[in-house]
């Protein structure tokens, strides 16, 4: 007669507490593994010195978040993460990461309209911890780039602390700050203004992956301009930005 008992650890857990506790335990184990991975990435990042690496060979990840609002400390949540790899000034369009995120709360109507992400889609999306792990597996120890990094950094830090009790330790570059250094007389430095100024084609705004792609192309233009000013390494760039 065929043995229909669940194999191994599942059967032991089943005997002790039933199938539901067994499944819960498995999910807890997966969450613990994901938390451990995130913590290891943050720990390794602290050891990583990139200041002397030439900008034209520096490997980066440009990313963007869509969120339910503007305050991660007052109930707003991440609803999507998009990222694209960049090698020097070359945008690697085939190397991307994108995930919706279940915010476990209602997405305001205006955010649904802005992002195109519906409550139905979000409710079926991966949990925050799972999406964070996927994002950090994609990033590894690379430098992060975003436009207007304050928003994204606050949300990432809040998410990392809530899920894994760690803070973001990656170096983070802001295309807005670089643009302000290179173009001090521009009247505005929002993404739309800079995309227009540098001739970057607009594809789809307020979509995390497409915004990341456009920001990556903006980064490439900024990098070319920075190198014309004899800024050759990451350390050189930080030095310039610290003066402005």
């Amino acid at each position: 007669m065929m043995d229909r008992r669940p194999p191994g650890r599942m059967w032991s857990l089943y005997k002790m507490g039933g199938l539901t506790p067994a499944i819960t335990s498995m999910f807890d184990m997966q969450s613990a593994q994901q938390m451990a991975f995130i913590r290891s990435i943050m720990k390794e990042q602290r050891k990583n010195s990139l200041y002397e690496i030439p900008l034209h060979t520096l490997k980066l990840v440009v990313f963007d978040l869509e969120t339910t609002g503007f305050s991660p400390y007052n109930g707003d949540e991440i609803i999507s993460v998009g990222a694209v790899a960049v090698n020097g000034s070359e945008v690697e369009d085939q190397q991307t990461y994108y995930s919706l995120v279940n915010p476990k709360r209602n997405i305001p109507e205006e955010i649904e309209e802005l992002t195109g992400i519906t409550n139905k889609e979000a409710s079926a999306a991966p949990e925050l911890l799972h999406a964070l792990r996927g994002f950090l597996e994609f990033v590894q120890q690379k430098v992060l780039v975003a436009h207007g990094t304050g928003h994204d950094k606050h949300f990432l830090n809040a998410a990392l602390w809530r899920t894994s009790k760690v803070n973001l330790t990656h170096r983070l570059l802001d295309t807005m700050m670089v643009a302000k250094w290179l173009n001090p007389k521009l009247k505005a430095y929002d993404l739309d203004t800079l995309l227009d100024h540098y001739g970057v084609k607009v594809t789809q705004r307020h979509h995390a992956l497409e915004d990341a792609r456009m920001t990556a192309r903006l980064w490439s233009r900024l990098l070319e301009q920075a190198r014309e000013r004899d800024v050759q390494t990451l350390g050189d760039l930080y030095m310039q930005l610290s003066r402005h």
Side-chain angles (χ1 to χ4, degrees):
M1 183 177 179
M2 184 179 294
D3 187 350
R4 297 183 181 275
R5 294 177 302 176
R9 176 172 171 76
M10 179 67 85
W11 174 241
S12 298
L13 290 167
Y14 176 81
K15 288 192 296 182
M16 288 187 291
L19 187 58
T20 299
I23 293 173
T24 301
S25 178
M26 287 182 65
F27 281 121
D28 288 344
M29 288 173 62
Q30 290 174 351
S31 295
Q33 290 169 350
Q34 289 173 335
M35 288 170 60
F37 173 82
I38 289 171
R39 288 173 178 171
S40 70
I41 286 286
M42 294 302 128
K43 184 177 180 180
E44 285 302 310
Q45 182 62 25
R46 296 189 196 106
K47 304 175 184 177
N48 196 15
S49 179
L50 301 169
Y51 286 101
E52 299 306 316
I53 295 179
L55 287 171
H56 73 276
T57 64
L58 184 64
K59 294 185 177 181
L60 309 154
V61 169
V62 183
F63 78 102
D64 183 68
L65 307 177
E66 296 299 333
T67 60
T68 61
F70 298 101
S71 179
Y73 306 108
N74 287 310
D76 284 314
E77 300 286 349
I78 297 169
I79 55 175
S80 67
V81 183
V84 60
V86 179
N87 189 349
S89 60
E90 182 181 351
V91 180
E92 300 184 324
D93 278 307
Q94 302 308 309
Q95 294 191 41
T96 63
Y97 174 81
Y98 179 73
S99 179
L100 294 177
V101 181
N102 187 341
K104 296 189 175 181
R105 56 154 289 178
N106 190 59
I107 300 174
E109 184 177 345
E110 62 271 21
I111 300 298
E112 278 192 310
E113 292 176 0
L114 184 69
T115 65
I117 299 171
T118 66
N119 278 291
K120 183 177 180 180
E121 290 173 323
S123 65
E127 301 275 327
L128 177 62
L129 180 60
H130 180 80
L132 280 176
R133 169 158 187 168
F135 174 64
L136 291 172
E137 281 182 334
F138 180 75
V139 173
Q140 296 294 323
Q141 277 85 43
K142 298 181 182 72
V143 174
L144 291 170
V145 176
H147 188 77
T149 55
H151 175 85
D152 300 291
K153 185 176 181 179
H154 284 319
F155 272 92
L156 267 185
N157 262 328
L160 287 167
W161 186 257
R162 179 155 30 109
T163 61
S164 308
K165 295 298 183 284
V166 292
N167 290 310
L168 185 68
T169 55
H170 290 67
R171 290 173 182 83
L172 190 59
L173 288 167
D174 189 338
T175 48
M176 182 184 292
M177 298 303 297
V178 179
K180 285 182 177 180
W181 162 55
L182 291 169
N183 306 277
K185 295 183 179 180
L186 280 183
K187 293 182 178 179
Y189 297 91
D190 59 277
L191 185 57
D192 290 302
T193 296
L194 291 175
L195 293 176
D196 180 66
H197 181 79
Y198 282 94
V200 177
K201 182 180 178 181
V202 176
T203 54
Q204 183 180 351
R205 288 287 280 114
H206 306 294
H207 181 284
L209 181 54
E210 288 305 306
D211 277 350
R213 288 186 196 273
M214 290 182 286
T215 303
R217 289 180 172 80
L218 172 61
W219 164 260
S220 295
R221 308 287 203 283
L222 295 170
L223 179 58
E224 290 168 6
Q225 193 176 352
R227 292 184 65 201
E228 289 172 0
R229 299 195 187 185
D230 201 31
V231 171
Q232 303 297 332
T233 68
L234 182 61
D236 292 340
L237 181 57
Y238 274 122
M239 183 66 71
Q240 289 295 331
L241 295 178
S242 71
R243 296 171 179 169
H244 294 81

